[in-house]
C-alpha cells in the first residue's frame, strides 16, 4: 500500500471508529495498571501540539469529540471525567496499548496506520490538557464568504443539451475533488477542486446547483447551467462539519426552491443558514442544549449529524448527536428560525425518509435503535430496536406486495439487513424482515435500491476481511434472499463503498477505493453484470456518488 | 416610615426598576469622568461580599441580571462589556452618583433606601468581579423536596361546606405568608407560612390545590380540602424565581388536571417540571440558548419570565426574557419535554390570554411592544407597538359591542391604557382604543375587569406621586372614558396595588401596602363604593390576590 492509501483508510475509519466492530476473534487488551510509577514528565512542544491536533481531528475526534470530552467513545482527559479513566493514570504504556491494539468494543487498531513516533506523540498529547478550539462565530463565517460569480452574471438557461437530472456527482474525498459525470453517457464532464475531505453533495431543489460540504466545513456551490460546471460561490460554515441540505418545499406556504441552504457543524456545534443563490450567511444557531432522556445534562459540544429537507413543510430536520434532540427548523424566517426540539435517543447519526416522505428515520447507532419522527405532526413517532450499530446512510425504501412499504438499514456491528414496516396498520414500526449477508461480521455503511429495481444492494466497506469488503451484496426483493456477491471486476481493487442508482433506475454505481486501482463500476441492474468500468487518472479513490434527480427527490 | 417598609419598597422597585420611570422632571446625573486618578484600592471583605450579594440580589438583580451581565439594565462589570462602561472606570464617585440619584432612563434613586454605608459597600462591590452564583442542579432541587402529607393521607373530599372556587389567596409578600380568605363571606380562613417574598399563586385545574412561588424559588402546595387549608408539600425550584403554573388541559390528548406543575427560574435559568400531586421533581431544562432577532448571541443567563398554561393543548407557554424566545413546552412526556421555540422580541416579561384562549400576549417591555403568539398553531402571530414600557400583568379582556374582543395593557412609562383588537378581521392586532389616567406619568402595574363588569380598573403603584399611587383608576367601558378615582378609604394608607375580582364578578378587591395601615379593600363593582375593608394584624402589606375560579379559568 502506498502511504496516502493508509491515510485514507485512517480517515474512513475515523468516520465510524466506534462502529468498526469486528467479530470477537480478538482479546481485549489486558487491563492496564495505573502507571503511578511512571516518572517521565510529559512534554509536548508547540509544533508537536499542532501535529497531534491534526491527527486527533482526522482520526479520533469523530468518536471522542473535538474537545476530547467524549461522544460515542469515552472522554480522553488528563484527569478523567468521573466515567472514563484519567489518561494520566493510564500513562504512556497504557495509552499505547489502546492506540496500537484498539479494543473489541469498537476502537480500531492504529498500529501500521500511525507511525511509532505518531503513536508516541498521541500518547503524550492525550495526557496534557486539550487545546481550546478556536472560536468560529458568525463574523468568522461571513469572513470566509466568497461570491465568485454574482447571480446576474450567471447563465439564464443551460448552455448545453445534457440532462442535468442525470448528472452523477462523485466525491474524491481525500483528493478534495468532485467529479461530475453525465449519467446518460458515462462521460466525465468536469473535475472540480472542492477542498478538504468532501463529505456529501446535495443538489438544489430545481436541480441546477450542486453543493458540496467538506469535513473542514467548506461549502462549494457548483452551477450546472454552464457547459462546464463551475464553482460560483464558497463559504465555510464551521471548522468541522458533516451535513448540508437545501430548501425543498414549494406549496401554500411559499416557493422555497433554490432559496436557502443549511449546513451543520460538528465544531463549533451549530447550524448556519445561507442564501442558496449566493451562499451569503443569514443566521447562525448554536445547538448546545439540554440532552434528552433521563437525567439530563446541558451539552456544550452538541454536534449536528444528518440534516434532511422536508418536501411537505418548509422545514429541515436537524439531528443533534450528543443531545439526542431532533430539531425541526422552520426556514420561512431564515434569519430568525423557529424550531421544535424533539427528545429522542442520544447519539443520533444518519438517516432518511420513508416512502411517504412523512416520516424521517434516523439511527441512534450506539443504542442499536432507529428513531422515527413524524415530521408533519412534529413529534416522535416511535423508537425501533434493530441490530448492532445500524448505519443506514439514508436507508432504502422497498415496496413489498404483501407487507407494503418498508425502510431498510444495514449494520456496522452485524451482518443483517433489517426492514421496518412504515405503512400504517399491523406491524408498523416493527422489523418485519431480516436478511443476512454471507460471511462473518458486519461493516456495512450503505444500502440502496430503486422503485424500478427488484434488487437490494449493500456494501460492507468496514469489514476487516478483504474478501468481504471488496464486494457488493445483492438480494432478491421478491424472496428477501441473498442472490449474488458482486466481486471487483478485473483491473479494479480496493474496498467497495456506496451504491447509487442512475436517474432511470436501471444502473447501480459502486465506488472502489483504498486499493491500487480505483474505479467507478456501473452494474446493469437487470442482469447484475458489469456495464461499464470508469477509470482514469482523475478517478482517485471515489467514495459517495449522488445522482441529481434521485437526491433531489429523495429516491433511495 | 418604619425600616421594614423601606425594605419592602426596595423589593418592589427591584421587580421593575427599569420601568420605574418618572415624568422627566429630573436631570440625568452629570456625565462622570473616568476616575483614573482615583488611587484607592478597592477591597471587599468576605462578610461584606455576602452582605452586598444579598442587597444586590434583592434590589439590583431584577434589572442588571443575577450575574451582573446586564438584562433590561446595563451590565455592571469591573472591565465593562463593550457596551456598558467599566465600573472600575466609573470609580467610587461615579458609581455613588448613579446609586444615590438613579437615572431618568429608569434606575430608581437608592438614597434614603440604602444607608450611606450600604451605598459605599455597593459601589465597592460593583468594582470587583461578580461572585459565581452557586450551582443549583436537578440533584439540588430533589434535595429540597419535602412531601409533608402523602396523597393517600389527604382527605378524599372537602372537609367543609365552603365554596373553594370563591377562595381568595392573598400574598403578604415580605412577610412570606399567604392568607386564604373566603370570598363569599370575606372571612379569613388561614394564614400560612410560605417563605421569602412570595411572587404569585396558581390554583390547580380542579381548584383543589393552591401553589405559591417565592422569589427564592420555594414552591408551597396548599390543600384546600382541609377545613383549615394545609401545606402538604414543598420544594425549591431555583435560587431566584418568578413563575409557576399548572397543567390545565383535558381533552383527546389526555386528562392533565392536577397532574403537572412547572416553575421557571431566573437563576439558574431553567424550568423544572413537578408532579402536581406531590411536587416530586421530574425534569429540569435549562433555558440558555440562542437569542432571537438579528445578530444572535448565545445567552447563558436566560431567565424564565411569565409562564401560562394552555386550555386547548397540553402545553405551557414559557417566556424566556433575555433570548426573546417563547417556548411552547409539551408536558405529555414531562420527563422529556418536547418544545417549540419561537423567536419574538428580546426581554419578554409578563402577559396573558386573549378572550378566545387561543392567543397569548406578552410584553417585550423595554421595546414597548406586545408579542402575540398563536398557541394552537405554534407560531408568532404579530408584534404590536404600544406605549412606553407596557406592564400588563396578565392584561384584561373587554368585549365591546362594536369592536369585538379587546385585550388591554397599562404602562409603567406613560399614563395610557391601550386596547388591542384580538378578534379576526379589520383592525386585528392594532391598538383600537386608548384611555388616559388623569395626572402625570405612568407607574401602572396591573389592570383588571370581568365579563360581568362595565368597569375597567388600573393601579398606578410605581408612580412616585403619593396622591396618584394610592388610588385606583376606574373607567367606563361603554364610553372608554375615565369615571372615578378610588382613593384609599378612611383608616387605610400606602400604595394601592393589584385588582382582583371575586368569583361572581361583582366585587373588585384592592391591596394597600407600603403604608402604616395595610388593608384589603373590597369595592362594590356596581356602585364603586367600599363594601368592606379587611384589616387586622395578619394583613401585613398585601400585594397580589388570586381568586381560585378566575385564576383557573383565566378570567381577567
Amino acid at each position: 500500500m502506498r502511504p496516502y492509501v493508509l491515510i485514507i483508510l485512517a480517515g474512513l475509519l475515523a468516520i465510524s471508529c466506534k462502529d468498526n466492530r469486528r467479530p470477537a476473534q480478538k482479546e481485549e487488551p489486558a487491563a492496564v495498571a495505573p502507571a503511578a510509577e511512571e516518572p517521565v514528565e510529559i512534554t509536548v512542544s508547540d509544533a508537536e501540539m499542532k501535529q497531534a491536533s491534526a491527527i486527533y481531528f482526522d482520526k479520533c475526534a469523530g468518536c471522542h469529540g473535538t474537545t476530547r470530552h467524549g461522544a460515542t467513545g469515552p472522554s480522553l482527559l488528563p484527569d478523567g471525567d468521573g466515567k472514563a479513566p484519567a489518561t494520566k493514570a493510564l500513562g504512556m504504556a497504557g495509552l499505547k496499548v489502546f492506540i496500537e491494539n484498539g479494543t473489541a468494543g469498537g476502537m480500531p487498531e492504529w498500529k501500521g496506520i500511525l507511525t511509532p513516533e505518531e503513536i508516541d506523540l498521541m500518547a503524550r498529547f492525550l495526557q496534557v490538557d486539550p487545546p481550546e478550539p478556536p472560536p468560529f462565530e458568525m463574523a468568522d463565517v461571513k469572513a470566509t464568504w466568497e461570491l465568485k460569480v454574482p447571480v446576474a452574471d450567471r447563465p439564464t438557461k443551460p448552455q448545453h443539451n445534457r440532462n442535468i437530472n442525470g448528472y452523477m456527482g462523485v466525491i474524491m474525498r481525500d483528493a478534495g475533488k468532485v467529479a461530475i459525470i453525465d449519467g446518460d453517457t458515462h462521460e466525465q464532464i468536469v473535475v472540480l477542486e472542492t477542498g478538504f475531505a468532501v463529505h456529501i453533495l446535495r443538489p438544489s431543489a430545481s436541480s441546477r446547483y450542486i453543493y458540496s460540504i467538506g469535513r473542514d466545513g467548506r461549502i462549494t456551490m457548483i452551477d450546472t447551467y454552464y457547459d462546464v460546471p463551475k464553482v460560483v460561490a464558497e463559504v465555510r460554515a464551521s471548522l468541522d462539519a458533516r451535513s448540508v441540505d437545501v430548501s425543498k418545499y414549494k406549496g401554500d406556504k411559499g416557493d422555497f426552491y433554490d432559496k436557502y441552504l443549511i449546513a451543520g457543524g460538528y465544531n463549533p456545534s451549530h447550524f448556519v443558514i445561507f442564501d442558496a443563490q449566493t451562499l451569503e450567511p443569514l443566521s447562525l444557531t448554536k445547538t448546545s442544549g439540554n440532552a434528552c432522556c433521563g437525567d439530563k445534562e446541558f451539552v456544550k459540544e452538541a454536534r449536528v449529524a444528518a440534516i434532511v429537507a422536508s418536501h411537505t413543510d418548509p422545514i429541515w430536520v436537524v439531528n443533534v448527536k450528543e443531545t439526542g434532540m431532533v430539531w425541526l427548523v422552520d426556514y420561512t424566517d431564515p434569519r430568525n428560525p423557529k424550531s421544535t426540539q424533539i427528545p429522542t435517543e442520544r447519539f443520533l447519526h444518519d438517516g432518511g425518509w420513508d416512502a411517504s416522505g412523512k416520516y424521517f428515520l434516523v439511527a441512534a447507532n450506539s443504542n442499536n435503535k432507529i428513531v422515527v419522527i413524524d415530521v408533519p405532526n412534529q413529534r416522535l413517532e416511535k423508537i425501533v430496536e434493530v441490530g448492532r450499530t445500524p448505519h443506514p446512510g439514508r436507508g432504502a425504501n422497498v415496496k413489498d406486495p404483501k407487507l407494503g412499504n418498508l425502510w431498510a438499514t444495514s449494520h456496522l456491528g452485524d451482518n443483517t439487513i433489517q426492514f421496518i414496516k412504515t405503512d400504517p396498520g399491523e406491524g408498523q414500526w416493527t422489523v418485519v424482515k431480516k436478511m443476512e449477508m454471507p460471511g462473518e461480521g458486519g461493516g456495512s455503511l450503505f444500502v440502496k435500491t430503486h422503485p424500478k429495481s427488484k434488487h437490494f444492494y449493500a456494501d460492507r466497506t468496514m469489514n476487516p476481511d478483504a474478501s468481504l469488503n471488496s464486494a457488493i451484496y445483492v438480494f432478491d426483493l421478491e424472496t428477501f434472499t441473498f442472490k449474488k456477491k458482486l466481486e471487483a471486476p478485473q483491473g479494479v481493487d480496493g474496498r467497495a463503498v456506496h451504491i447509487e442508482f442512475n436517474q432511470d433506475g436501471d444502473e447501480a454505481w459502486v465506488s472502489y477505493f483504498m486499493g491500487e486501482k480505483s474505479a467507478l463500476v456501473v452494474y446493469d441492474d437487470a442482469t447484475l453484470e458489469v456495464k461499464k468500468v470508469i477509470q482514469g487518472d482523475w478517478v482517485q479513490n471515489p467514495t459517495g456518488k449522488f445522482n441529481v434527480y434521485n437526491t433531489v427527490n429523495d429516491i433511495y
Side-chain angles (χ1 to χ4, degrees), chain A residues 360-376:
Chain A
F360 174 70
L361 297 99
V362 57
N365 55 10
S366 54
N367 295 325
N368 308 326
K369 285 173 182 158
I370 298 290
V371 166
V372 185
I373 302 293
D374 174 348
V375 174

Side-chain angles (χ1 to χ4, degrees), chain A residues 233-278:
Chain A
E234 282 200 324
V235 71
R236 193 172 181 191
S238 190
L239 297 174
D240 183 4
R242 292 297 183 278
S243 46
V244 70
D245 210 350
V246 299
S247 51
K248 287 189 178 178
Y249 174 79
K250 188 191 274 189
D252 293 347
K253 294 171 197 165
D255 176 359
F256 293 95
Y257 276 24
D258 298 18
K259 270 201 115 164
Y260 304 122
L261 183 88
I262 184 172
Y266 263 23
N267 175 42
S269 299
H270 62 216
F271 58 83
V272 182
I273 300 177
F274 302 89
D275 181 322
Q277 293 287 325
T278 61

Side-chain angles (χ1 to χ4, degrees), chain A residues 405-470:
Chain A
N405 283 299
L406 316 177
W407 179 92
T409 183
S410 59
H411 299 79
L412 281 154
D414 66 38
N415 67 345
T416 67
I417 290 154
Q418 305 201 12
F419 293 83
I420 296 168
K421 182 172 172 176
T422 62
D423 278 347
E426 203 192 318
Q428 192 186 25
W429 311 131
T430 63
V431 173
V432 290
K433 280 280 176 196
K434 276 189 203 181
M435 307 188 303
E436 287 191 14
M437 289 188 274
E440 283 289 309
S444 178
L445 288 174
F446 300 105
V447 290
K448 195 67 46 92
T449 184
H450 187 277
K452 292 188 186 159
S453 173
K454 286 287 167 210
H455 292 135
F456 186 98
Y457 297 74
D459 67 18
R460 212 167 184 176
T461 319
M462 304 303 290
N463 195 295
D465 183 338
S467 74
L468 298 179
N469 67 36
S470 59

